[in-house]
Amino acid sequence: MTTPGDIELLMSIFRGTPVRDLVDHNLGDAKFRIPKFAARNTEFLTHPIFNTHDTETEMLRYLKKLESRDLSLCHSMIPLGSCTMKLNATAEMFPISWPEFAKLHPFAPADQTAGYIEMCKQLEDWLAEITGFAAISLQPNAGSQGEYAGLLAIREYHASRNEAHRNVCLIPTSAHGTNPASAVMAGLKVVAIATLKDGDIDLADLRAKADAHARDLAALMVTYPSTHGVFEPTIREICEIVHTHGGQVYMDGANMNAQCGLCRPGDYGADVCHLNLHKTFCIPHGGGGPGVGPIGVAKHLVPFLPAAAALNADVDLNKRVGPVAQAPYGSASILTISWMYIRMMGPDGLKRASEIAILNANYIAKRLHPHFPVLFKGKRGLVAHECIVDLRQWRSSGIEVEDVAKRLMDYGFHAPTVSWPVAGTMMIEPTESEAKHELDRFCDAMISIRAEIDDIANGETDRQNNLLKNAPHSARQIASEKWDRPYSREQAAFPAPWTREHKFWPSVARIDNVYGDRNLFCSCPPMD
Ligand SMILES: *Cc1c(COP(=O)(O)O)cnc(C)c1O
């Protein structure tokens, strides 16, 4: 971290002279190590964006401008189902800016990283306690990578028992897309399990498929509570069926925010599970990372956790599964965030968070149900920590779930997860971070949008030219001389009282998402 230049500066301060008088000639400038043939001699970074913000003031304003276009948790709840967009508290975030954590090299010698390793070990212990497992690997850099590491552990476990032929992975159709993707990457064959009308896994189908593949059953990947937002009461039975057919149970732990302190995957039958520290344990996410997806495993799978990455030759050759990440502790610096979260919450706090997360989701489900039917509920009429509302009945009036998502922007809200795991629905997860006031504000917005939908469905409003189809409305449109919409500017941009007090302006109007996804185009200055 220290260059010869720094040492020369230090010497010159003490000696009062800029003259170099170091004996060690190795302290000269670092050699230019890029081979000549590879050195670039053409122009680069010529786009104005790279050379207009060349003062700190300009850079500050540029970054702030970008930030202000982003509707974040600073503005409203982000009720993305399954994604657990909870508060990333400032106190939790502080340590990542401390040089003791931020400036350590992942491969610094062990005698210089004692504190870091202690923190990692403590976090491993806490996560083991929370999940009910024997050991944790902090290596995977995402939930999906945890899935991969967990399935490798299962695969090698079978191989160690002379059952390497076990290669079938059962996955319910409601699963997150990463599940089948990881299974294929781990060399397994995916067999889909049906779900019933009420959202639960079809036990008869599970039994039949487990029977049919009993000889080569490797694993079941299951999410609990399910991605349908319900605690499946048969979860123990599901695990048992898989075990009696010689398979292992992989638990997708993305929904751990509904379980912490209440129940543990290790107790009800899972053999391995990943956690999304960037969901349940407060690491900020969105925009692609970085994340941490540690896995916990039961005792019999401990020997098959990924080996530690090492720079030198002392990789543990006895390990059957190699490292799944470059660094021994994956994204180590951000582990401090989850450490802080768990340490500050304590066991009671974590339990309380799960309870409030579930309570908040049920509050929203109950308030919205008369206006937007809640698709899946448990036998007692309750949901888990998220709920799916069904918008498909308005398709006949031309209203799609996307229109409601876009209209929510006019109300100052980030849309929930749309069309997953069921097309034409919204999955709402408020998390424990939101106060009742904010839940009500969101429900008020949805209920108000329902009235707007009714106007369209009743034929009072045009099917194409209306508040929903034209949403969101930008400041430029609202301020334009030309306004020929069949509704007022006020209805468009200030549909709720709070928008008058503080308005978040979408920076662009409606974008055709599908067209945009299929037709790549560049908004840069032309190539010439
Ligand atoms: C987020 C999520 C994943 C994948 O986790 P990543 O960290 O995004 O790779 C898997 N399953 C479910 C249910 C999820 O919500």
Side-chain angles (χ1 to χ4, degrees), residues 46 55 124 248 311 346 373 397 416 489:
T46 55
T55 66
E124 284 177 3
Q248 293 279 292
L311 270 190
S397 313
R489 289 175 159 106

Side-chain angles (χ1 to χ4, degrees), residues 263-445:
C263 58
R264 310 192 304 171
D267 292 343
Y268 54 75
D271 300 289
V272 42
C273 115
H274 80 257
L275 302 169
N276 300 67
L277 297 192
H278 47 287
K279 293 178 182 172
T280 315
F281 297 92
C282 288
I283 295 172
H285 63 127
V292 187
I295 51 169
V297 294
K299 208 161 160 205
H300 62 284
L301 292 179
V302 174
F304 310 102
L305 282 173
L311 270 190
N312 35 34
D314 57 356
V315 181
D316 187 355
L317 292 173
N318 298 321
K319 281 278 199 180
R320 302 185 65 126
V321 178
V324 297
Q326 293 279 330
Y329 288 97
S331 311
S333 69
I334 53 177
L335 294 177
T336 52
I337 303 171
S338 298
W339 190 97
M340 287 293 285
Y341 172 67
I342 297 175
R343 186 75 186 82
M344 292 195 294
M345 294 291 277
D348 296 340
L350 290 177
K351 178 164 176 255
R352 180 103 180 118
S354 307
E355 290 167 351
I356 301 292
I358 295 169
L359 182 66
N360 280 358
N362 277 284
Y363 182 79
I364 287 187
K366 282 268 190 290
R367 258 207 85 188
L368 287 187
H369 188 65
H371 311 276
F372 297 94
V374 172
L375 189 56
F376 303 118
K377 288 178 185 172
K379 300 278 174 288
R380 294 180 194 153
L382 297 173
V383 296
H385 65 313
E386 58 194 4
C387 63
I388 296 179
V389 294
D390 194 350
L391 282 80
R392 290 174 295 188
Q393 60 174 295
W394 293 288
R395 272 190 174 152
S396 53
S397 313
I399 296 300
E400 295 290 336
V401 62
E402 186 188 13
D403 301 320
V404 177
K406 303 279 188 192
R407 182 61 176 149
L408 274 170
M409 289 192 210
D410 286 332
Y411 285 79
F413 278 103
H414 194 295
T417 298
V418 296
S419 285
W420 186 79
V422 182
T425 68
M426 277 185 167
M427 179 157 45
I428 305 166
E429 179 183 359
T431 82
E432 73 282 8
S433 305
E434 302 302 340
K436 179 168 174 290
H437 163 80
E438 180 69 357
L439 304 181
D440 278 328
R441 208 168 66 89
F442 176 77
C443 291
D444 290 346

Side-chain angles (χ1 to χ4, degrees), residues 81-84 141-147 174-179 223 225-227 252-255 274-279 285 291-293 386 420 427 429:
S82 206
C83 289
T84 313
N141 282 311
S144 45
Q145 217 176 55
E147 292 169 21
S174 56
H176 193 269
T178 50
N179 289 189
T223 312
S226 76
T227 55
D252 180 331
N255 290 342
H274 80 257
L275 302 169
N276 300 67
L277 297 192
H278 47 287
K279 293 178 182 172
H285 63 127
V292 187
E386 58 194 4
W420 186 79
M427 179 157 45
E429 179 183 359

